[in-house]
Amino acid sequence: MKTNAGDIAVRLGGTLHGDPATPIHGVGTLQDGQAGEIGFLADAHYRQYLPTSRLAAVLVSEAYPEAPITQIIVKDVKRAWRHLADDFAPPFPPPTISPQAHIDPSAILGADVSIGAGAVIGAGANIGDGCRIAPLAYIADGVTIGRDSNIGSGVRILEKTTIGARANILANAVIGERGFGNNFEDGRWLPVAQLGGVRIGDDVEIGACTTIDRGAVSDTIIGNGVKLDNHIQIGHNVHIGDHTVIAGSAVIAGSVTFGKYCVVGGACVFTGHITICDGAQFTGHSSISKSIHQPGAYSSGIPAMPALQWKKFFAKLKLLAKEK
């Protein structure tokens, strides 16, 4: 894409400080960007790079006199950048169905569907208009995927799964595999059949290598607008409320229910069979073992510290325990 700073300012409703004819052909960072690229400043920590940046232009929330580059002032830098990044994202290729894909004759394909080489579409699967199925994806029998969804390479979507419109499921995610259901009998663990499915709403993103188990009896449910990062484990019968976001490596045990608009930091761990209210937020590495009934921020992780300091700290904790 080739444009100029003036056109971008108009597109974003921003105020231009600099030459409107400044050519823009790509995007870059303040530290490493090159001539002809545009970047953004949304965190004061990166202001130090403005005076020496080689970018052609930058999105900012206020003017910075020390910056020798064209500036476009916008009310919300991150919002403006999201719109601009979409403009520079490479377009999807025209829809094609590879002759190396295996598509069951009973599957239903909408208009303008793309299916890559080695992908498998099972019997009775229903793929909505405009969907893109990457090479080596597996869509099991009877799965339904809503329109304009993107299914990445190596994704596995198993039986009894329903996915809404505009889903973005990244490489190697697994949806609908059996949950961790076992019963201890006569000195050994025996598997309990997992009979439910997975229901996923509209506008959901599921990160690479994230796993979502099917329900034990009823369904695991992912609400509208939920965003899941990479390497997340979601157990059977979890319910995640609309517009909740969960960062990478979080572990959510079975039958946890989240409300709407929750925010979960990376590597958080949730004990099973608890309820999290609307608007709860958890900082990274938190461990949550009881239900949360009031919105707000919660933490339980202990930040890293020098090893010697940690040993002294832990020794004092042991002494406190003995005093009790």
Side-chain angles (χ1 to χ4, degrees), residues 3 6 28 35 38 47 63 76 106 110 114 118 135-136 140 152 214 226 243 246 287:
T3 183
I38 186 170
R47 181 176 177 176
D76 187 332
S106 66
S114 286
L136 302 178
R214 67 178 181 263
V226 168
H243 307 291
I246 302 178
S287 179

Side-chain angles (χ1 to χ4, degrees), residues 211-247:
T211 57
I212 302 175
D213 295 341
R214 67 178 181 263
V217 179
S218 59
D219 294 339
T220 300
I221 299 174
I222 311 297
N224 295 322
V226 168
K227 309 298 181 185
L228 304 177
D229 197 0
N230 303 332
H231 291 276
I232 294 171
Q233 160 63 23
I234 296 178
H236 54 200
N237 297 105
V238 167
H239 290 199
I240 299 181
D242 295 351
H243 307 291
T244 287
V245 294
I246 302 178

Side-chain angles (χ1 to χ4, degrees), residues 110 190 210 235 256 258 262 301 306 314:
L190 298 175
T210 283
V256 176
F258 285 86
C262 294
F314 188 68

Side-chain angles (χ1 to χ4, degrees), residues 178-185 188-194:
R178 65 169 271 112
F180 192 58
N182 300 279
N183 194 47
F184 192 70
E185 302 176 27
R188 57 177 180 161
W189 291 98
L190 298 175
V192 178
Q194 305 294 286

Side-chain angles (χ1 to χ4, degrees), residues 263-281:
V263 177
V264 177
C268 287
V269 178
F270 291 80
T271 299
H273 304 277
I274 62 174
T275 299
I276 309 299
C277 68
D278 294 351
Q281 303 176 11

Side-chain angles (χ1 to χ4, degrees), residues 2 28 31 36 75 85 89 133 276:
K2 292 183 178 180
Q31 306 98 300
K75 291 182 179 179
I133 312 297
I276 309 299

Side-chain angles (χ1 to χ4, degrees), residues 79-94:
R79 184 186 184 106
W81 181 256
R82 179 177 64 82
H83 287 288
L84 186 60
D86 284 344
D87 292 340
F88 281 95
F92 287 106

